[in-house]
Amino acid sequence: MQRRAAIAALLAGSVPNLAQWFNLYVYATFAPYFRTEFFDPADENSLVWVYAVFALTFVVRPVGSWVFGRLADARGRQLALASAVTLMSLGSLALAFAPTYAQLGAGAAVILVAVSLVQGLATGGEYAAATVLLSESGTAGRRGFFASFQSVTIIGGLVLAQAGLLILLAVSDRAAVSTWGWRVAFAVAGVAGLATLWWARGIPRTPRGRRAASGTLGVLLRDHWRPALWVFLLTAGGTICFYTYTVTVPTIVRETFVTAHGDSGEVAATALVLIALVVLMLLQPLGGALSDRIGRKPLLVAFGVGGILVSAPLLTGLATTADAVPVLAMLIGGYVVLTCYQSVNGIAKAEVFPPEIRALGVGFGYAIANSLFGGTAPMAYHASVRAGGDAMFLVYLTALVAVTLGAAIVMRGGAATALDDTPATASRG
């Protein structure tokens, strides 16, 4: 019975979560194509500007984490998740029909910014609601496995966005994707998000049980500032690696292949990225299940060490290599390292807060770090390249991964979790 309830909660959290991230990553994936539709086509910095808007959405994520985190703690995780997905989906539909720079001038960029800010609020709320829902719903001894499905759906959103791009490139070309293909992608993502909410109505809500009154931001900062700070530090290096590896790296691969092989290279590069992202998605439950046996800490430490060692060679190698086999090997190698963080970071954060403030605590610390270091990563990389090279960005990324490594080293505990109410808990130091 307990396992059946856990599976129901897994479906209730995962499917709308997948649609949410699909909506987000349509922007990130198609940004290099629609940049000239919202910004002056003659502006050589348009790619930097379009990713600056992407970064701006992260600025409001802490507000979204506060609003939806309070809602999740007070009214239930599923309600907060459904509300966030609705907001995100409506934003995607608005972008699908938005006027362009040729039609509205600078006003097109204003619309892009406004919609992106709304979607940023939704994303900030979604992360905590889904993380806590899946972490709390797992059965004892398998919480890492269940919680890893949030990462499955996050990466699944990337897979769907890349698959959509591959289909559009295969049936048309870059010019068509830049003119109308991105609109199709936003429309599909928006409709899919609303459809998952309709589907999720038939899944029973997970029982919340008796719970104390939900905590406030003041309580979080006064009584739980240490775990909140730890969540921030743990997220810093993980989030910049995630957005660099999954948003910036695919763009690097496509541009390298286009330079070497022309239009056919763009299709081949997109296919390689899609294959690698599918592997990354499939690795997440394996990482979660492994953490149930050995604890979260060994995986997080492995990410910190691996991220420091491989990030610079990965970006440099992908920018200079246009052969399929070595590129795929480099992508998968980087994604194995990333899995050590991505598959367990959510459950590790959920374990350090009591239930009445768990969603707010997880979401707020994550959102602050994500807004500073994650969403800005694509913009920072391309700005660094425009300034003469990626060396400054690579030093910056490596330093943040070292911060995350330090946070992982000071955490204590094994596979048992605070969610199980056991004496041996996996928590921060």
Side-chain angles (χ1 to χ4, degrees):
M1 193 68 173
Q2 184 182 11
R3 177 169 295 184
R4 183 179 301 174
I7 293 173
L10 177 65
L11 293 174
S14 295
V15 176
N17 195 42
L18 173 63
Q20 174 87 336
W21 290 98
F22 177 34
N23 278 265
L24 176 70
Y25 289 124
V26 163
Y27 184 107
T29 300
F30 285 83
Y33 299 92
F34 66 70
R35 56 178 170 151
T36 54
E37 295 292 287
F38 288 96
F39 297 95
D40 186 351
D43 188 346
E44 295 182 353
N45 290 312
S46 60
L47 185 58
V48 176
W49 302 140
V50 78
Y51 278 126
V53 175
F54 183 67
L56 189 61
T57 67
F58 287 72
V59 174
V60 297
R61 285 196 183 190
V63 179
S65 72
W66 172 63
V67 173
F68 287 97
R70 288 296 310 279
L71 179 63
D73 287 328
R75 301 287 301 279
R77 319 309 192 194
Q78 287 160 311
L79 175 62
L81 179 59
S83 301
V85 173
T86 300
L87 206 57
M88 174 67 83
S89 301
L90 293 176
S92 289
L93 290 174
L95 287 180
F97 299 98
T100 64
Y101 182 88
Q103 297 167 322
L104 199 60
V110 173
I111 293 174
L112 181 66
V113 169
V115 173
S116 296
L117 288 175
V118 171
Q119 291 188 313
L121 288 170
T123 307
E126 177 278 337
Y127 177 84
T131 295
V132 175
L133 173 62
L134 293 176
S135 297
E136 291 177 339
S137 300
T139 55
R142 302 196 70 192
R143 294 192 187 277
F145 173 75
F146 274 88
S148 71
F149 278 87
Q150 187 199 19
S151 290
V152 171
T153 56
I154 290 173
I155 298 159
L158 277 163
V159 168
L160 291 176
Q162 286 289 329
L165 176 59
L166 181 60
I167 291 170
L168 287 168
L169 287 172
V171 301
S172 57
D173 55 25
R174 173 176 281 211
V177 173
S178 299
T179 303
W180 56 264
W182 60 272
R183 292 187 184 275
V184 173
F186 275 120
V188 169
V191 171
L194 296 177
T196 62
L197 294 178
W198 181 265
W199 171 84
R201 292 195 322 159
I203 294 182
R205 291 180 178 272
T206 53
R208 294 178 58 217
R210 296 180 60 86
R211 182 169 293 182
S214 62
T216 65
L217 184 60
V219 171
L220 175 68
L221 297 179
R222 185 187 69 239
D223 299 336
H224 305 280
W225 66 269
R226 287 184 178 87
L229 175 61
W230 180 80
V231 167
F232 172 85
L233 297 175
L234 185 73
T235 304
T239 191
I240 190 174
C241 274
F242 180 80
Y243 283 99
T244 298
Y245 287 19
T246 62
V247 175
T248 302
V249 159
T251 301
I252 293 172
V253 173
R254 279 196 298 270
E255 294 305 317
T256 303
F257 271 65
V258 167
T259 300
H261 306 296
D263 291 344
S264 63
E266 186 167 24
V267 175
T270 304
L272 288 173
V273 169
L274 178 59
I275 292 170
L277 286 173
V278 170
V279 172
L280 175 62
M281 181 176 67
L282 296 177
L283 286 173
Q284 302 312 298
L286 299 180
L290 180 61
S291 78
D292 286 327
R293 297 178 64 86
I294 67 173
R296 326 303 178 201
K297 180 174 180 174
L299 290 174
L300 292 170
V301 170
F303 162 75
V305 174
I308 290 172
L309 294 177
V310 309
S311 293
L314 177 67
L315 268 67
T316 302
L318 292 174
T320 56
T321 306
D323 294 324
V325 173
V327 165
L328 185 59
M330 283 188 281
L331 286 170
I332 292 176
Y335 288 163
V336 168
V337 172
L338 183 60
T339 294
C340 293
Y341 169 82
Q342 191 63 31
S343 62
V344 300
N345 80 97
I347 184 70
K349 295 166 188 173
E351 288 168 353
V352 301
F353 293 102
E356 66 273 10
I357 202 165
R358 185 169 289 141
L360 179 59
V362 170
F364 191 74
Y366 160 83
I368 295 291
N370 212 20
S371 65
L372 292 174
F373 311 122
T376 58
M379 177 191 68
Y381 173 82
H382 290 290
S384 179
V385 170
R386 291 284 300 167
D390 60 3
M392 291 178 55
F393 177 80
L394 293 175
V395 171
Y396 169 62
L397 183 151
T398 303
L400 288 176
V401 176
V403 170
T404 291
L405 174 60
I409 288 173
V410 302
M411 72 181 293
R412 61 180 181 270
T417 82
L419 296 168
D420 296 325
D421 294 321
T422 57
T425 62
S427 77
R428 52 132 188 95

